[in-house]
Amino acid sequence: MIRRFNFTGRRKIPRSRLSIALYAAPDGALAFDASLDLGDLSLPHDAKIFVEAYRRAYLRRFSCGTVAQPRWPRGQALDGLDALSFVLFRVKVVDGRGRILAVADRVLPRRSGEEDAGKRYLLPVEFADLGNAIWRLDLDGEWPSLLLNSRIDPIREIARADESFRALVYPEVVRQILHHIVVVEDHTDPDTDPDDWMSLWLRFALSLMGRKTLPPSGEDEQVILDKGRWIDDAVDAFCASQRVVERFVRHHQADD
């Protein structure tokens, strides 16, 4: 299990104090509203607040006033992004010398309709020229994403509704993500950071499995084998929840 320590003295802004809502503006662009309760964090009144929207090379920074007089964005457009784009947010409180006093990073915004349904945006889908490949899982960024080959015209609809694609691709996506979290990163505690993507995926897997048994931590040979079995169980639970076999068979029987 990886533990991270804070040697910078920066305060971590609890995500429970943040509210960032992302939605499609009437012109189809992506826009957001943001607010933050700095309440009892004891920050200097003249410290400046910045909200940043980012993803890969994309970065937009918005000045939001001071701790004493915040000016929260309302209907702020994110130029260059469409309604389906995936973006994360960062909130910084900075003193007069540019020193970061408090920060919340990798903040996942709430999208329209998600709050009531309790859904989280665990796996964004993006489109790119993948050459001769149909899909690829990208684990190099701040959040995992499923890349689909933009050269295939109906790939968006195939990924959404084609039963063969769903049966063959998504279980493997779940397996690769959990392998990266549990084996590569040795991240086995879903409570390390409640909003970190690895913790969210662990909690998702546990909810599917209907139990609280965490994957083992460590790199010993036996532990790695046990991690593999835990991942197998999680993928099986995912397939059961999606009725993968039943839907796959029914789809192909209909084709006969």
Side-chain angles (χ1 to χ4, degrees), residues 58-72:
Y58 183 92
L59 173 65
R60 296 291 183 275
R61 180 177 293 115
F62 304 95
S63 177
C64 302
T66 64
V67 170
Q69 294 183 309
R71 300 191 306 271
W72 300 117

Side-chain angles (χ1 to χ4, degrees), residues 107-142:
V107 178
L108 195 62
R110 186 181 71 252
R111 288 188 177 248
S112 300
E114 283 187 342
E115 188 171 32
D116 292 340
K119 297 177 181 176
R120 302 303 299 266
Y121 207 56
L122 282 181
L123 185 66
V125 176
E126 298 180 287
F127 301 89
D129 187 343
L130 302 181
N132 294 310
I134 296 172
W135 68 277
R136 190 174 75 219
L137 185 63
D138 180 8
L139 291 165
D140 294 331
E142 301 86 0

Side-chain angles (χ1 to χ4, degrees), residues 91-104:
V91 178
K92 296 177 181 176
V93 180
V94 180
D95 68 11
R97 295 182 297 171
R99 187 169 54 117
I100 298 174
L101 304 176
V103 64

